[in-house]
PDB file of all heavy atoms in Angstrom:
ATOM      1  N   VAL A 172    -103.034-138.583 150.632  1.00  0.00           N
ATOM      2  CA  VAL A 172    -102.155-137.524 150.411  1.00  0.00           C
ATOM      3  C   VAL A 172    -100.835-137.827 150.915  1.00  0.00           C
ATOM      4  O   VAL A 172    -100.583-138.501 151.854  1.00  0.00           O
ATOM      5  CB  VAL A 172    -102.676-136.188 150.980  1.00  0.00           C
ATOM      6  CG1 VAL A 172    -104.007-135.717 150.355  1.00  0.00           C
ATOM      7  CG2 VAL A 172    -102.844-136.303 152.531  1.00  0.00           C
ATOM      8  N   LEU A 173     -99.788-137.313 150.242  1.00  0.00           N
ATOM      9  CA  LEU A 173     -98.392-137.339 150.571  1.00  0.00           C
ATOM     10  C   LEU A 173     -97.978-136.124 151.362  1.00  0.00           C
ATOM     11  O   LEU A 173     -98.052-135.027 150.915  1.00  0.00           O
ATOM     12  CB  LEU A 173     -97.477-137.539 149.393  1.00  0.00           C
ATOM     13  CG  LEU A 173     -96.010-137.585 149.670  1.00  0.00           C
ATOM     14  CD1 LEU A 173     -95.620-138.851 150.485  1.00  0.00           C
ATOM     15  CD2 LEU A 173     -95.195-137.612 148.382  1.00  0.00           C
ATOM     16  N   VAL A 174     -97.638-136.333 152.691  1.00  0.00           N
ATOM     17  CA  VAL A 174     -97.403-135.261 153.542  1.00  0.00           C
ATOM     18  C   VAL A 174     -95.804-135.170 153.845  1.00  0.00           C
ATOM     19  O   VAL A 174     -95.266-136.231 154.229  1.00  0.00           O
ATOM     20  CB  VAL A 174     -98.057-135.367 154.947  1.00  0.00           C
ATOM     21  CG1 VAL A 174     -97.754-134.250 155.862  1.00  0.00           C
ATOM     22  CG2 VAL A 174     -99.554-135.484 154.712  1.00  0.00           C
ATOM     23  N   ASP A 175     -95.285-133.973 153.496  1.00  0.00           N
ATOM     24  CA  ASP A 175     -93.903-133.734 153.860  1.00  0.00           C
ATOM     25  C   ASP A 175     -93.886-133.001 155.303  1.00  0.00           C
ATOM     26  O   ASP A 175     -94.688-131.995 155.391  1.00  0.00           O
ATOM     27  CB  ASP A 175     -93.231-132.817 152.881  1.00  0.00           C
ATOM     28  CG  ASP A 175     -93.157-133.554 151.523  1.00  0.00           C
ATOM     29  OD1 ASP A 175     -93.014-134.655 151.430  1.00  0.00           O
ATOM     30  OD2 ASP A 175     -93.192-132.746 150.488  1.00  0.00           O
ATOM     31  N   PHE A 176     -93.154-133.531 156.137  1.00  0.00           N
ATOM     32  CA  PHE A 176     -93.099-132.955 157.507  1.00  0.00           C
ATOM     33  C   PHE A 176     -91.969-131.947 157.624  1.00  0.00           C
ATOM     34  O   PHE A 176     -90.912-132.104 156.848  1.00  0.00           O
ATOM     35  CB  PHE A 176     -93.110-134.022 158.572  1.00  0.00           C
ATOM     36  CG  PHE A 176     -94.322-134.806 158.659  1.00  0.00           C
ATOM     37  CD1 PHE A 176     -94.441-136.013 157.973  1.00  0.00           C
ATOM     38  CD2 PHE A 176     -95.355-134.376 159.349  1.00  0.00           C
ATOM     39  CE1 PHE A 176     -95.554-136.764 158.083  1.00  0.00           C
ATOM     40  CE2 PHE A 176     -96.571-135.030 159.417  1.00  0.00           C
ATOM     41  CZ  PHE A 176     -96.733-136.174 158.719  1.00  0.00           C
ATOM     42  N   LYS A 177     -91.946-131.066 158.631  1.00  0.00           N
ATOM     43  CA  LYS A 177     -90.912-130.084 158.803  1.00  0.00           C
ATOM     44  C   LYS A 177     -89.603-130.732 159.197  1.00  0.00           C
ATOM     45  O   LYS A 177     -88.471-130.094 159.034  1.00  0.00           O
ATOM     46  CB  LYS A 177     -91.348-129.069 159.898  1.00  0.00           C
ATOM     47  CG  LYS A 177     -92.451-128.202 159.465  1.00  0.00           C
ATOM     48  CD  LYS A 177     -92.853-127.242 160.485  1.00  0.00           C
ATOM     49  CE  LYS A 177     -94.033-126.362 160.017  1.00  0.00           C
ATOM     50  NZ  LYS A 177     -94.532-125.482 161.061  1.00  0.00           N
ATOM     51  N   ASP A 178     -89.551-131.986 159.704  1.00  0.00           N
ATOM     52  CA  ASP A 178     -88.346-132.626 160.070  1.00  0.00           C
ATOM     53  C   ASP A 178     -87.693-133.383 158.814  1.00  0.00           C
ATOM     54  O   ASP A 178     -86.720-134.118 158.980  1.00  0.00           O
ATOM     55  CB  ASP A 178     -88.536-133.645 161.203  1.00  0.00           C
ATOM     56  CG  ASP A 178     -89.479-134.767 160.863  1.00  0.00           C
ATOM     57  OD1 ASP A 178     -89.944-134.831 159.699  1.00  0.00           O
ATOM     58  OD2 ASP A 178     -89.782-135.620 161.749  1.00  0.00           O
ATOM     59  N   GLY A 179     -88.295-133.159 157.709  1.00  0.00           N
ATOM     60  CA  GLY A 179     -87.781-133.903 156.394  1.00  0.00           C
ATOM     61  C   GLY A 179     -88.364-135.222 156.098  1.00  0.00           C
ATOM     62  O   GLY A 179     -88.016-135.787 155.060  1.00  0.00           O
ATOM     63  N   THR A 180     -89.175-135.790 156.982  1.00  0.00           N
ATOM     64  CA  THR A 180     -89.821-137.090 156.719  1.00  0.00           C
ATOM     65  C   THR A 180     -91.035-136.930 155.825  1.00  0.00           C
ATOM     66  O   THR A 180     -91.575-135.822 155.708  1.00  0.00           O
ATOM     67  CB  THR A 180     -90.109-137.838 157.917  1.00  0.00           C
ATOM     68  OG1 THR A 180     -91.079-137.065 158.711  1.00  0.00           O
ATOM     69  CG2 THR A 180     -88.913-138.047 158.830  1.00  0.00           C
ATOM     70  N   GLN A 181     -91.476-138.014 155.289  1.00  0.00           N
ATOM     71  CA  GLN A 181     -92.703-138.086 154.498  1.00  0.00           C
ATOM     72  C   GLN A 181     -93.616-139.242 154.961  1.00  0.00           C
ATOM     73  O   GLN A 181     -93.125-140.205 155.461  1.00  0.00           O
ATOM     74  CB  GLN A 181     -92.414-138.271 153.050  1.00  0.00           C
ATOM     75  CG  GLN A 181     -91.716-137.183 152.281  1.00  0.00           C
ATOM     76  CD  GLN A 181     -91.501-137.475 150.843  1.00  0.00           C
ATOM     77  OE1 GLN A 181     -91.187-138.604 150.452  1.00  0.00           O
ATOM     78  NE2 GLN A 181     -91.599-136.503 150.001  1.00  0.00           N
ATOM     79  N   LYS A 182     -94.832-139.075 154.611  1.00  0.00           N
ATOM     80  CA  LYS A 182     -95.826-140.167 154.986  1.00  0.00           C
ATOM     81  C   LYS A 182     -97.022-140.043 154.108  1.00  0.00           C
ATOM     82  O   LYS A 182     -97.575-138.916 153.895  1.00  0.00           O
ATOM     83  CB  LYS A 182     -96.247-140.087 156.494  1.00  0.00           C
ATOM     84  CG  LYS A 182     -97.091-141.310 156.956  1.00  0.00           C
ATOM     85  CD  LYS A 182     -97.332-141.247 158.474  1.00  0.00           C
ATOM     86  CE  LYS A 182     -98.107-142.495 158.868  1.00  0.00           C
ATOM     87  NZ  LYS A 182     -98.396-142.385 160.393  1.00  0.00           N
ATOM     88  N   VAL A 183     -97.523-141.198 153.682  1.00  0.00           N
ATOM     89  CA  VAL A 183     -98.803-141.246 153.002  1.00  0.00           C
ATOM     90  C   VAL A 183     -99.888-141.438 153.921  1.00  0.00           C
ATOM     91  O   VAL A 183     -99.907-142.370 154.769  1.00  0.00           O
ATOM     92  CB  VAL A 183     -98.901-142.380 151.935  1.00  0.00           C
ATOM     93  CG1 VAL A 183    -100.254-142.454 151.314  1.00  0.00           C
ATOM     94  CG2 VAL A 183     -97.817-142.123 150.869  1.00  0.00           C
ATOM     95  N   ILE A 184    -100.907-140.515 153.969  1.00  0.00           N
ATOM     96  CA  ILE A 184    -101.927-140.472 154.940  1.00  0.00           C
ATOM     97  C   ILE A 184    -103.328-140.479 154.245  1.00  0.00           C
ATOM     98  O   ILE A 184    -103.522-139.715 153.313  1.00  0.00           O
ATOM     99  CB  ILE A 184    -101.849-139.296 155.846  1.00  0.00           C
ATOM    100  CG1 ILE A 184    -100.516-139.307 156.615  1.00  0.00           C
ATOM    101  CG2 ILE A 184    -103.054-139.247 156.851  1.00  0.00           C
ATOM    102  CD1 ILE A 184    -100.189-138.118 157.446  1.00  0.00           C
ATOM    103  N   ALA A 185    -104.288-141.282 154.748  1.00  0.00           N
ATOM    104  CA  ALA A 185    -105.632-141.371 154.216  1.00  0.00           C
ATOM    105  C   ALA A 185    -106.465-140.293 154.911  1.00  0.00           C
ATOM    106  O   ALA A 185    -106.475-140.202 156.109  1.00  0.00           O
ATOM    107  CB  ALA A 185    -106.245-142.746 154.346  1.00  0.00           C
ATOM    108  N   LEU A 186    -107.147-139.439 154.184  1.00  0.00           N
ATOM    109  CA  LEU A 186    -108.023-138.459 154.758  1.00  0.00           C
ATOM    110  C   LEU A 186    -109.345-139.157 155.274  1.00  0.00           C
ATOM    111  O   LEU A 186    -109.942-139.896 154.557  1.00  0.00           O
ATOM    112  CB  LEU A 186    -108.468-137.369 153.693  1.00  0.00           C
ATOM    113  CG  LEU A 186    -107.287-136.529 153.253  1.00  0.00           C
ATOM    114  CD1 LEU A 186    -107.833-135.549 152.186  1.00  0.00           C
ATOM    115  CD2 LEU A 186    -106.766-135.625 154.317  1.00  0.00           C
ATOM    116  N   GLU A 187    -109.612-138.904 156.475  1.00  0.00           N
ATOM    117  CA  GLU A 187    -110.746-139.654 157.152  1.00  0.00           C
ATOM    118  C   GLU A 187    -112.057-138.995 156.724  1.00  0.00           C
ATOM    119  O   GLU A 187    -113.090-139.645 156.627  1.00  0.00           O
ATOM    120  CB  GLU A 187    -110.616-139.577 158.701  1.00  0.00           C
ATOM    121  CG  GLU A 187    -109.535-140.377 159.207  1.00  0.00           C
ATOM    122  CD  GLU A 187    -109.314-140.291 160.727  1.00  0.00           C
ATOM    123  OE1 GLU A 187    -110.158-139.617 161.323  1.00  0.00           O
ATOM    124  OE2 GLU A 187    -108.366-140.929 161.307  1.00  0.00           O
ATOM    125  N   ASP A 188    -112.014-137.681 156.299  1.00  0.00           N
ATOM    126  CA  ASP A 188    -113.168-137.013 155.845  1.00  0.00           C
ATOM    127  C   ASP A 188    -112.953-136.337 154.450  1.00  0.00           C
ATOM    128  O   ASP A 188    -112.588-135.165 154.489  1.00  0.00           O
ATOM    129  CB  ASP A 188    -113.656-135.892 156.968  1.00  0.00           C
ATOM    130  CG  ASP A 188    -114.917-135.297 156.601  1.00  0.00           C
ATOM    131  OD1 ASP A 188    -115.662-135.775 155.693  1.00  0.00           O
ATOM    132  OD2 ASP A 188    -115.272-134.243 157.162  1.00  0.00           O
ATOM    133  N   ASP A 189    -112.993-137.145 153.511  1.00  0.00           N
ATOM    134  CA  ASP A 189    -112.564-136.659 152.144  1.00  0.00           C
ATOM    135  C   ASP A 189    -113.650-136.288 151.217  1.00  0.00           C
ATOM    136  O   ASP A 189    -113.419-135.877 150.045  1.00  0.00           O
ATOM    137  CB  ASP A 189    -111.636-137.671 151.513  1.00  0.00           C
ATOM    138  CG  ASP A 189    -112.312-138.912 151.061  1.00  0.00           C
ATOM    139  OD1 ASP A 189    -113.429-139.255 151.682  1.00  0.00           O
ATOM    140  OD2 ASP A 189    -111.845-139.696 150.205  1.00  0.00           O
ATOM    141  N   LEU A 190    -114.943-136.529 151.539  1.00  0.00           N
ATOM    142  CA  LEU A 190    -115.973-136.263 150.673  1.00  0.00           C
ATOM    143  C   LEU A 190    -116.121-134.727 150.320  1.00  0.00           C
ATOM    144  O   LEU A 190    -116.184-133.965 151.274  1.00  0.00           O
ATOM    145  CB  LEU A 190    -117.375-136.753 151.161  1.00  0.00           C
ATOM    146  CG  LEU A 190    -117.550-138.260 151.258  1.00  0.00           C
ATOM    147  CD1 LEU A 190    -118.884-138.696 151.810  1.00  0.00           C
ATOM    148  CD2 LEU A 190    -117.379-138.863 149.864  1.00  0.00           C
ATOM    149  N   GLY A 191    -116.119-134.367 149.044  1.00  0.00           N
ATOM    150  CA  GLY A 191    -116.229-133.032 148.647  1.00  0.00           C
ATOM    151  C   GLY A 191    -114.959-132.195 148.769  1.00  0.00           C
ATOM    152  O   GLY A 191    -115.008-130.924 148.660  1.00  0.00           O
ATOM    153  N   VAL A 192    -113.835-132.804 149.098  1.00  0.00           N
ATOM    154  CA  VAL A 192    -112.598-132.089 149.306  1.00  0.00           C
ATOM    155  C   VAL A 192    -111.871-131.734 148.014  1.00  0.00           C
ATOM    156  O   VAL A 192    -111.738-132.598 147.133  1.00  0.00           O
ATOM    157  CB  VAL A 192    -111.631-132.972 150.210  1.00  0.00           C
ATOM    158  CG1 VAL A 192    -110.270-132.143 150.284  1.00  0.00           C
ATOM    159  CG2 VAL A 192    -112.184-133.056 151.680  1.00  0.00           C
ATOM    160  N   ASP A 193    -111.538-130.512 147.921  1.00  0.00           N
ATOM    161  CA  ASP A 193    -110.743-130.076 146.751  1.00  0.00           C
ATOM    162  C   ASP A 193    -109.240-130.227 147.101  1.00  0.00           C
ATOM    163  O   ASP A 193    -108.809-129.563 148.026  1.00  0.00           O
ATOM    164  CB  ASP A 193    -111.060-128.586 146.384  1.00  0.00           C
ATOM    165  CG  ASP A 193    -110.328-128.053 145.122  1.00  0.00           C
ATOM    166  OD1 ASP A 193    -109.435-128.752 144.704  1.00  0.00           O
ATOM    167  OD2 ASP A 193    -110.734-127.002 144.723  1.00  0.00           O
ATOM    168  N   LEU A 194    -108.596-131.057 146.395  1.00  0.00           N
ATOM    169  CA  LEU A 194    -107.110-131.376 146.762  1.00  0.00           C
ATOM    170  C   LEU A 194    -106.208-130.020 146.552  1.00  0.00           C
ATOM    171  O   LEU A 194    -105.076-130.057 146.884  1.00  0.00           O
ATOM    172  CB  LEU A 194    -106.617-132.564 145.973  1.00  0.00           C
ATOM    173  CG  LEU A 194    -107.145-133.839 146.394  1.00  0.00           C
ATOM    174  CD1 LEU A 194    -106.612-134.970 145.461  1.00  0.00           C
ATOM    175  CD2 LEU A 194    -106.873-134.122 147.850  1.00  0.00           C
ATOM    176  N   ARG A 195    -106.793-129.108 145.839  1.00  0.00           N
ATOM    177  CA  ARG A 195    -106.037-127.828 145.651  1.00  0.00           C
ATOM    178  C   ARG A 195    -106.161-126.838 146.836  1.00  0.00           C
ATOM    179  O   ARG A 195    -105.462-125.835 146.888  1.00  0.00           O
ATOM    180  CB  ARG A 195    -106.475-127.107 144.326  1.00  0.00           C
ATOM    181  CG  ARG A 195    -106.184-127.997 143.096  1.00  0.00           C
ATOM    182  CD  ARG A 195    -106.903-127.421 141.865  1.00  0.00           C
ATOM    183  NE  ARG A 195    -108.364-127.429 142.041  1.00  0.00           N
ATOM    184  CZ  ARG A 195    -109.257-127.128 141.164  1.00  0.00           C
ATOM    185  NH1 ARG A 195    -108.902-126.647 140.010  1.00  0.00           N
ATOM    186  NH2 ARG A 195    -110.620-127.156 141.517  1.00  0.00           N
ATOM    187  N   ASP A 196    -107.113-127.164 147.660  1.00  0.00           N
ATOM    188  CA  ASP A 196    -107.353-126.347 148.903  1.00  0.00           C
ATOM    189  C   ASP A 196    -106.501-126.720 150.008  1.00  0.00           C
ATOM    190  O   ASP A 196    -106.846-127.507 150.895  1.00  0.00           O
ATOM    191  CB  ASP A 196    -108.907-126.475 149.310  1.00  0.00           C
ATOM    192  CG  ASP A 196    -109.290-125.455 150.331  1.00  0.00           C
ATOM    193  OD1 ASP A 196    -108.378-124.884 150.980  1.00  0.00           O
ATOM    194  OD2 ASP A 196    -110.490-125.319 150.479  1.00  0.00           O
ATOM    195  N   TYR A 197    -105.251-126.090 150.046  1.00  0.00           N
ATOM    196  CA  TYR A 197    -104.258-126.455 151.030  1.00  0.00           C
ATOM    197  C   TYR A 197    -104.805-126.229 152.445  1.00  0.00           C
ATOM    198  O   TYR A 197    -104.423-127.039 153.361  1.00  0.00           O
ATOM    199  CB  TYR A 197    -103.001-125.641 150.716  1.00  0.00           C
ATOM    200  CG  TYR A 197    -101.888-125.942 151.717  1.00  0.00           C
ATOM    201  CD1 TYR A 197    -101.066-127.146 151.625  1.00  0.00           C
ATOM    202  CD2 TYR A 197    -101.644-125.162 152.798  1.00  0.00           C
ATOM    203  CE1 TYR A 197    -100.080-127.396 152.462  1.00  0.00           C
ATOM    204  CE2 TYR A 197    -100.604-125.365 153.776  1.00  0.00           C
ATOM    205  CZ  TYR A 197     -99.839-126.517 153.530  1.00  0.00           C
ATOM    206  OH  TYR A 197     -98.848-126.798 154.481  1.00  0.00           O
ATOM    207  N   ARG A 198    -105.399-125.096 152.708  1.00  0.00           N
ATOM    208  CA  ARG A 198    -105.921-124.824 153.994  1.00  0.00           C
ATOM    209  C   ARG A 198    -106.875-125.871 154.552  1.00  0.00           C
ATOM    210  O   ARG A 198    -106.787-126.315 155.639  1.00  0.00           O
ATOM    211  CB  ARG A 198    -106.574-123.490 154.036  1.00  0.00           C
ATOM    212  CG  ARG A 198    -105.609-122.238 154.052  1.00  0.00           C
ATOM    213  CD  ARG A 198    -106.340-121.064 154.322  1.00  0.00           C
ATOM    214  NE  ARG A 198    -105.429-119.829 154.474  1.00  0.00           N
ATOM    215  CZ  ARG A 198    -105.901-118.657 154.735  1.00  0.00           C
ATOM    216  NH1 ARG A 198    -107.157-118.398 155.076  1.00  0.00           N
ATOM    217  NH2 ARG A 198    -105.008-117.638 154.979  1.00  0.00           N
ATOM    218  N   ARG A 199    -107.800-126.252 153.653  1.00  0.00           N
ATOM    219  CA  ARG A 199    -108.757-127.239 154.074  1.00  0.00           C
ATOM    220  C   ARG A 199    -108.048-128.653 154.375  1.00  0.00           C
ATOM    221  O   ARG A 199    -108.419-129.268 155.341  1.00  0.00           O
ATOM    222  CB  ARG A 199    -109.803-127.500 152.940  1.00  0.00           C
ATOM    223  CG  ARG A 199    -110.819-128.497 153.234  1.00  0.00           C
ATOM    224  CD  ARG A 199    -111.738-128.152 154.354  1.00  0.00           C
ATOM    225  NE  ARG A 199    -112.771-129.184 154.497  1.00  0.00           N
ATOM    226  CZ  ARG A 199    -113.461-129.281 155.626  1.00  0.00           C
ATOM    227  NH1 ARG A 199    -113.350-128.378 156.627  1.00  0.00           N
ATOM    228  NH2 ARG A 199    -114.431-130.214 155.744  1.00  0.00           N
ATOM    229  N   LEU A 200    -107.084-129.027 153.502  1.00  0.00           N
ATOM    230  CA  LEU A 200    -106.374-130.245 153.694  1.00  0.00           C
ATOM    231  C   LEU A 200    -105.634-130.178 154.984  1.00  0.00           C
ATOM    232  O   LEU A 200    -105.667-131.271 155.822  1.00  0.00           O
ATOM    233  CB  LEU A 200    -105.445-130.546 152.572  1.00  0.00           C
ATOM    234  CG  LEU A 200    -106.015-130.864 151.095  1.00  0.00           C
ATOM    235  CD1 LEU A 200    -104.927-130.804 150.115  1.00  0.00           C
ATOM    236  CD2 LEU A 200    -106.760-132.177 151.199  1.00  0.00           C
ATOM    237  N   LYS A 201    -104.981-129.074 155.281  1.00  0.00           N
ATOM    238  CA  LYS A 201    -104.207-128.954 156.494  1.00  0.00           C
ATOM    239  C   LYS A 201    -105.117-129.125 157.767  1.00  0.00           C
ATOM    240  O   LYS A 201    -104.804-129.755 158.765  1.00  0.00           O
ATOM    241  CB  LYS A 201    -103.422-127.670 156.509  1.00  0.00           C
ATOM    242  CG  LYS A 201    -102.416-127.573 157.620  1.00  0.00           C
ATOM    243  CD  LYS A 201    -101.528-126.368 157.447  1.00  0.00           C
ATOM    244  CE  LYS A 201    -100.466-126.377 158.568  1.00  0.00           C
ATOM    245  NZ  LYS A 201     -99.515-125.173 158.461  1.00  0.00           N
ATOM    246  N   PHE A 202    -106.309-128.396 157.662  1.00  0.00           N
ATOM    247  CA  PHE A 202    -107.254-128.520 158.756  1.00  0.00           C
ATOM    248  C   PHE A 202    -107.729-129.941 158.954  1.00  0.00           C
ATOM    249  O   PHE A 202    -107.858-130.346 160.068  1.00  0.00           O
ATOM    250  CB  PHE A 202    -108.522-127.629 158.392  1.00  0.00           C
ATOM    251  CG  PHE A 202    -109.653-127.761 159.438  1.00  0.00           C
ATOM    252  CD1 PHE A 202    -109.560-127.185 160.713  1.00  0.00           C
ATOM    253  CD2 PHE A 202    -110.748-128.436 159.016  1.00  0.00           C
ATOM    254  CE1 PHE A 202    -110.618-127.298 161.614  1.00  0.00           C
ATOM    255  CE2 PHE A 202    -111.827-128.471 159.889  1.00  0.00           C
ATOM    256  CZ  PHE A 202    -111.695-128.032 161.237  1.00  0.00           C
ATOM    257  N   LEU A 203    -108.100-130.602 157.950  1.00  0.00           N
ATOM    258  CA  LEU A 203    -108.583-132.051 158.031  1.00  0.00           C
ATOM    259  C   LEU A 203    -107.474-132.895 158.692  1.00  0.00           C
ATOM    260  O   LEU A 203    -107.817-133.750 159.519  1.00  0.00           O
ATOM    261  CB  LEU A 203    -109.034-132.588 156.675  1.00  0.00           C
ATOM    262  CG  LEU A 203    -110.227-131.863 156.089  1.00  0.00           C
ATOM    263  CD1 LEU A 203    -110.541-132.459 154.649  1.00  0.00           C
ATOM    264  CD2 LEU A 203    -111.479-132.195 157.008  1.00  0.00           C
ATOM    265  N   LEU A 204    -106.242-132.763 158.218  1.00  0.00           N
ATOM    266  CA  LEU A 204    -105.142-133.528 158.793  1.00  0.00           C
ATOM    267  C   LEU A 204    -104.904-133.288 160.248  1.00  0.00           C
ATOM    268  O   LEU A 204    -104.647-133.989 161.154  1.00  0.00           O
ATOM    269  CB  LEU A 204    -103.910-133.296 157.929  1.00  0.00           C
ATOM    270  CG  LEU A 204    -103.886-133.904 156.577  1.00  0.00           C
ATOM    271  CD1 LEU A 204    -102.690-133.365 155.761  1.00  0.00           C
ATOM    272  CD2 LEU A 204    -103.824-135.482 156.620  1.00  0.00           C
ATOM    273  N   PHE A 205    -105.000-131.948 160.602  1.00  0.00           N
ATOM    274  CA  PHE A 205    -104.866-131.418 162.017  1.00  0.00           C
ATOM    275  C   PHE A 205    -105.931-132.123 162.818  1.00  0.00           C
ATOM    276  O   PHE A 205    -105.685-132.594 163.999  1.00  0.00           O
ATOM    277  CB  PHE A 205    -105.096-130.006 162.077  1.00  0.00           C
ATOM    278  CG  PHE A 205    -104.882-129.417 163.481  1.00  0.00           C
ATOM    279  CD1 PHE A 205    -103.673-129.306 164.116  1.00  0.00           C
ATOM    280  CD2 PHE A 205    -106.105-129.055 164.255  1.00  0.00           C
ATOM    281  CE1 PHE A 205    -103.481-128.896 165.389  1.00  0.00           C
ATOM    282  CE2 PHE A 205    -105.895-128.502 165.514  1.00  0.00           C
ATOM    283  CZ  PHE A 205    -104.572-128.463 166.157  1.00  0.00           C
ATOM    284  N   LYS A 206    -107.173-132.309 162.367  1.00  0.00           N
ATOM    285  CA  LYS A 206    -108.300-132.985 163.027  1.00  0.00           C
ATOM    286  C   LYS A 206    -107.902-134.423 163.282  1.00  0.00           C
ATOM    287  O   LYS A 206    -108.360-135.065 164.253  1.00  0.00           O
ATOM    288  CB  LYS A 206    -109.568-132.942 162.309  1.00  0.00           C
ATOM    289  CG  LYS A 206    -110.258-131.527 162.396  1.00  0.00           C
ATOM    290  CD  LYS A 206    -111.539-131.472 161.555  1.00  0.00           C
ATOM    291  CE  LYS A 206    -112.601-132.505 162.024  1.00  0.00           C
ATOM    292  NZ  LYS A 206    -113.772-132.470 161.196  1.00  0.00           N
TER     293      LYS A 206
END
Side-chain angles (χ1 to χ4, degrees):
V172 292
L173 178 62
V174 179
D175 295 329
F176 293 97
K177 292 179 180 179
D178 63 2
T180 60
Q181 292 181 324
K182 188 176 182 181
V183 175
I184 299 173
L186 294 176
E187 294 177 0
D188 186 12
D189 68 335
L190 290 180
V192 173
D193 184 348
L194 291 177
R195 297 167 297 182
D196 188 344
Y197 179 81
R198 283 190 174 185
R199 179 64 178 167
L200 291 174
K201 192 171 182 179
F202 172 73
L203 292 174
L204 289 168
F205 181 76
K206 285 177 63 178

